[in-house]
Amino acid sequence: MGTLLALASAVSYGLSDFVGGLVSRRAPFAAVALLGQAGGLLLALLVTPILPAGAVTLADLGWGTLSGVGTGVGMVFLFRGLARGAMSVVVPTSAVAGVALPVLASVAFLGERPPLLTWLGILIAVPALWMVSRTRTAAESAAGPAVDALIASIGIAVQYLALAQAEPAAGAWPVVAGRVAAILTVLPWTTFPRLRLPAARLTLPAALSGAAAAMALLCYLLATRHQLVVIAVVLSSLYPVLPVLLGIIVLRERLRTTQACGLLAAAAAIVLLTTT
């Protein structure tokens, strides 16, 4: 069950990344991030009554809030990097660092000890994410996009690690608290009250992108209750595979040799991570 939930998280994040990336190239990146978190909050509130919850403690809400701060920071810098047209730098760097940091923290601070096959899957998954996400070899490695990617990866790592600390009895309330915190984190970047909202035709896709990301977090939260955090993080972080496949199918993009190798490596990593 934990494996399926983590993979569902990856699919939801992949959809969010694909839609959000397209919208952020046509609208102010901070406004896209803000609308996305608003959509995520609405989705989380709708799902909360469905998931059973017992005693929700301040600690659970605190972990959810910290996770939301990580989400807000991660999305702002991810979308800013994408808006600069540096997808080939931002996506692979944020994805690889975003999975490596939680893995190291899970082992060093949470005391998790994954089996040998899991470690092999992780070692394959990290370069696979880089190869899948790498879209061009152009000289786009300027300091700005690279810094955006690294900051985004730290936010993603905080998002994963903090949310995993919430107790099962809290239900989906940590995700709700996280969406509120994410909105408050993103808000200063919008130069409120002079907020430039996207065109009406882009508002719904931006909100749906955030709703998909919230669903990804809900699936990830449930996955951590059935699986080691380190495994749930790695499986959830395979989300860049889906935008690449959608780019090929929907946008008619060419599949590069490096990406094809990355897709095969990602498939092998999934097999190793799901058989432990």
Side-chain angles (χ1 to χ4, degrees):
M1 178 63 73
T3 296
L4 292 177
L5 287 167
L7 290 174
S9 175
V11 171
S12 297
Y13 255 131
L15 289 172
S16 173
D17 196 43
F18 181 73
V19 175
L22 291 178
V23 176
S24 66
R25 289 174 175 251
R26 296 169 173 80
F29 68 90
V32 174
L34 182 63
L35 286 172
Q37 296 311 311
L41 176 59
L42 178 60
L43 186 281
L45 287 172
L46 290 174
V47 172
T48 296
I50 302 174
L51 296 179
V56 182
T57 67
L58 288 177
D60 295 326
L61 296 179
W63 285 118
T65 299
L66 179 59
S67 174
V69 172
T71 300
V73 171
M75 291 304 99
V76 164
F77 283 93
L78 177 65
F79 286 154
R80 188 171 81 167
L82 292 175
R84 294 182 179 187
M87 186 176 292
S88 62
V89 172
V90 175
V91 174
T93 302
S94 63
V96 171
V99 67
L101 291 175
V103 167
L104 293 175
S106 296
V107 174
F109 301 110
L110 301 183
E112 295 190 343
R113 295 294 180 265
L116 182 59
L117 283 180
T118 298
W119 276 117
L120 183 57
I122 293 171
L123 292 176
I124 293 175
V126 171
L129 285 173
W130 181 271
M131 290 188 290
V132 166
S133 305
R134 195 73 179 171
T135 57
R136 292 192 296 272
T137 58
E140 292 181 328
S141 56
V147 171
D148 284 342
L150 289 174
I151 296 176
S153 71
I154 294 172
I156 292 169
V158 170
Q159 166 191 266
Y160 279 135
L161 288 171
L163 190 59
Q165 307 312 307
E167 295 293 333
W173 285 108
V175 177
V176 173
R179 296 320 90 212
V180 174
I183 290 173
L184 295 177
T185 301
V186 172
L187 201 56
W189 291 89
T190 63
T191 62
F192 192 83
R194 298 184 304 278
L195 174 60
R196 291 174 52 212
L197 290 174
R201 61 186 175 83
L202 298 177
T203 299
L204 181 59
L208 290 177
S209 171
M215 180 59 70
L217 283 176
L218 286 166
C219 291
Y220 165 77
L221 178 61
L222 294 174
T224 60
R225 297 170 183 175
H226 300 277
Q227 188 63 274
L228 289 176
V229 173
V230 64
I231 297 178
V233 165
V234 176
L235 288 174
S236 299
S237 297
L238 291 173
Y239 64 87
V241 170
L242 189 60
V244 170
L245 293 176
L246 289 175
I248 295 167
I249 296 170
V250 178
L251 303 180
R252 305 296 183 186
E253 295 178 349
R254 289 181 55 192
L255 178 64
R256 297 175 179 272
T257 302
T258 302
Q259 289 177 305
C261 293
L263 290 173
L264 292 174
I270 291 174
V271 171
L272 290 168
L273 289 166
T274 56
T275 54
T276 54

